[in-house]
Amino acid sequence: MTGRDSTRRTFLKSAGAAALLGTTGATAAGATPRPSRPSPRPFVHRNDYDFDEVYDRVGTDSVRWDRAVAQYGDGIVAGMGVADMDFRAAPCVTNALAERCTHENWGYMHRPDSYAEAVAAWNRRRYGIEIDPDSIVFTTGVHPGIIAALHTFSPPGTPVLLTTPTYNGFYTDLRFSRTVADDSPMIVDSEGRYEIDYDDFERRAKRCNAFILCNPQNPTGNCWSAEDLTRMGEICLRHRVVVLADEIHCDFVTGGNAYTPFASLDPELVDNSLTFKSASKSFSLAAMKVAWYYSTNPELLARVRANTRADLSTLGMVATRAALDEGEPWLDDLILYLDANHDFAESWIRDHLPGIRHRKGQGTYLAWLDVGEFAERIDAAGTAARESAAGSATVNAEQVVQRWFAERAGVFLNPGSSYGTGGSGYMRMNLASPRAVVETALERIGEAIAAM
Ligand SMILES: Cc1ncc(COP(=O)(O)O)c(C=O)c1O
């Protein structure tokens, strides 16, 4: 471990200890008094999972923490970027992996039929949809599945329909398939609510072969209703656009909202779609590299399957299977915890972060922060223009805001401009962390703004 790692470990430990004492690391160390704020909603543990535990990931080559440190240096105290979770894994996953490691042979592994049956059972139990296990195709991630589908339906150079802001990784998938984005910007009202602009959506659908649906939508958090999904599905069917439904965030739904699977719609619409999923978001198994897609339409499925090759790893399969078979109590508990994190972040931002606006999302564990006013205050656009003109790598206003938060608050956020049209003026903040880390990140941002 480097000296830098151990400094950060000390911070994280004190943040964890402070959370138990009801104070932040800074105050515990006798530094600045903390600003008054509403107390976090008390969390009721229905099981024995301690999501308040600050579980240190620094120095493990994690993208979320170590890459932020590599980019901005030692001052990073909260990595709130890439969409994975900071919690200790579900015990059933760790136990299954430990048990498999007692058999010290890692040769080729057969995937038994019961594997697809476990995926089908999970979908039946949690979302009430029936999936034929034979229609499930495994991949090493949602990305490789979507890329295989784009290779199948959308020849190089053709436009692919997206409703934006949307998951930035889709733009990488388009690059891999040599296709181009056709962004249909969503309409956002003064309260921060997003909806589809159906006229624009249909105009673009006429020239596209595929639409990547994000349900729930990363980064805005929309859980699309049956009416919205039907409307999008009908337009796509009318114009022969295949719907690629990425539903990887489907387990994360905030209180009072619901996830509607695209596959639960009218069969005619479902037959024009493939759904992409994984336990990797729900259980934070991102680097285990196991995902799947399925379709009720044998012809679509066979065509994409012909472009898919996935060799899953032993440990990825073991972890996923354990999560699906035994992980529900952990996940149900976690969903409540994350909902409370959302509530905490929403009220804290409203009360303590001038120039930043935020509305709690219906789904995902992501907060989509409107930083437009704040960006103007620091003249982010002017700085970006000056730096670009001076010949440094092209910089945009959100990257300037990112740097500002990283350097002055030690908090790493994702720049909204990478989420397509409509993302400018926003930053994405990952709330899937122990409350103490979320609290510290928000406090540090507040202190940096106050010190301006
Ligand atoms: C909407 C969405 N799709 C796909 C992915 C990545 O999926 P995978 O790691 O399985 O390729 C992410 C990761 O953040 C995501 O948010």
Side-chain angles (χ1 to χ4, degrees):
M1 195 192 302
T2 64
R4 186 192 71 199
D5 291 343
S6 73
T7 311
R8 207 173 345 271
R9 277 176 202 282
T10 309
F11 158 74
L12 287 165
K13 285 214 174 67
S14 66
L20 296 175
L21 296 169
T23 181
T24 63
T27 316
T32 38
R34 96 191 207 170
S36 68
R37 59 173 184 278
S39 334
R41 200 166 81 187
F43 175 64
V44 181
H45 287 281
R46 292 189 310 157
N47 292 299
D48 291 332
Y49 311 118
D50 179 9
F51 298 111
D52 280 332
E53 178 195 12
V54 177
Y55 195 69
D56 187 1
R57 301 174 65 195
V58 175
T60 62
D61 292 327
S62 75
V63 170
R64 184 166 164 182
W65 288 82
D66 292 307
R67 235 194 238 169
V69 171
Q71 187 174 351
Y72 287 109
D74 279 354
I76 292 292
V77 295
M80 310 308 270
V82 75
D84 67 17
M85 302 196 276
D86 282 339
F87 308 109
R88 191 188 283 272
C92 62
V93 169
T94 305
N95 292 341
L97 290 170
E99 193 187 322
R100 180 59 185 81
C101 285
T102 62
H103 177 67
E104 299 170 59
N105 184 286
W106 305 99
Y108 289 114
M109 192 174 153
H110 167 68
R111 180 163 35 77
D113 289 346
S114 62
Y115 207 80
E117 282 155 16
V119 173
W122 174 268
N123 278 274
R124 187 181 312 117
R125 272 199 318 273
R126 285 194 80 82
Y127 327 119
I129 48 173
E130 278 302 332
I131 303 174
D132 174 0
D134 289 340
S135 73
I136 297 171
V137 181
F138 286 91
T139 58
T140 50
V142 162
H143 283 301
I146 289 181
I147 291 167
L150 292 173
H151 276 310
T152 308
F153 303 118
S154 204
T158 58
V160 174
L161 185 55
L162 303 168
T163 52
T164 61
T166 195
Y167 172 47
N168 52 352
F170 293 150
Y171 295 93
T172 319
D173 298 343
L174 300 185
R175 268 206 308 282
F176 270 96
S177 56
R178 321 267 187 276
T179 51
V180 291
D182 205 336
D183 287 7
S184 177
M186 294 192 282
I187 299 165
V188 56
D189 70 13
S190 58
E191 301 292 312
R193 269 183 295 253
Y194 282 84
E195 57 182 80
I196 308 286
D197 179 343
Y198 284 103
D199 290 337
D200 184 76
F201 184 87
E202 180 148 22
R203 196 167 53 77
R204 293 171 192 277
K206 288 178 186 165
R207 60 186 181 218
C208 294
N209 301 308
F211 162 48
I212 309 180
L213 165 71
C214 198
N215 178 37
Q217 183 104 7
N218 170 5
T220 60
N222 288 75
C223 283
W224 298 111
S225 66
E227 292 70 31
D228 275 316
L229 293 172
T230 299
R231 212 163 153 189
M232 289 186 254
E234 284 173 351
I235 292 172
C236 287
L237 187 62
R238 202 156 47 238
H239 300 292
R240 302 169 63 83
V241 178
V242 178
V243 177
L244 311 179
D246 177 336
E247 300 190 345
I248 194 172
H249 286 274
C250 67
D251 284 309
F252 299 110
V253 174
T254 57
N257 296 298
Y259 152 64
T260 308
F262 191 87
S264 67
L265 303 182
D266 183 283
E268 201 190 4
L269 302 180
V270 180
D271 273 350
N272 183 43
S273 75
L274 293 100
T275 295
F276 299 81
K277 277 194 175 168
S278 172
S280 65
K281 220 33 92 187
S282 311
F283 291 90
S284 210
L285 304 175
M288 288 288 182
K289 310 317 297 172
V290 177
W292 52 85
Y293 62 83
Y294 56 83
S295 177
T296 49
N297 183 327
E299 193 218 313
L300 295 187
L301 194 66
R303 289 175 62 199
V304 183
R305 199 196 283 267
N307 283 331
T308 307
R309 171 164 180 167
D311 296 318
L312 305 186
S313 79
T314 304
L315 293 183
M317 286 200 275
V318 168
T320 299
R321 185 67 196 265
L324 296 178
D325 287 351
E326 303 166 56
E328 267 186 291
W330 183 87
L331 180 60
D332 288 338
D333 220 7
L334 172 70
I335 290 167
L336 294 178
Y337 188 87
L338 292 177
D339 192 29
N341 269 9
H342 267 292
D343 285 340
F344 172 71
E346 186 185 50
S347 63
W348 211 94
I349 291 166
R350 185 186 55 234
D351 295 344
H352 299 288
L353 296 189
I356 300 183
R357 298 193 315 152
H358 167 55
R359 180 191 178 82
K360 179 184 176 185
Q362 299 169 316
T364 79
Y365 49 63
L366 308 164
W368 185 234
L369 310 180
D370 177 347
V371 299
E373 205 182 308
F374 170 76
E376 265 179 40
R377 231 177 117 192
I378 64 166
D379 188 26
T383 304
R386 279 189 296 280
E387 288 184 19
S388 295
S392 49
T394 309
V395 185
N396 62 38
E398 290 71 36
Q399 287 165 325
V400 172
V401 175
Q402 181 190 58
R403 191 173 63 204
W404 198 96
F405 287 138
E407 291 179 352
R408 301 205 186 195
V411 179
F412 185 93
L413 303 176
N414 292 123
S417 42
S418 62
Y419 299 85
T421 310
S424 297
Y426 290 81
M427 300 295 285
R428 194 189 77 167
M429 180 174 184
N430 183 343
L431 300 178
S433 299
R435 188 82 34 86
V437 175
V438 175
E439 198 173 354
T440 299
L442 292 172
E443 273 186 355
R444 296 281 296 239
I445 291 174
E447 284 162 11
I449 293 175
M452 273 168 82

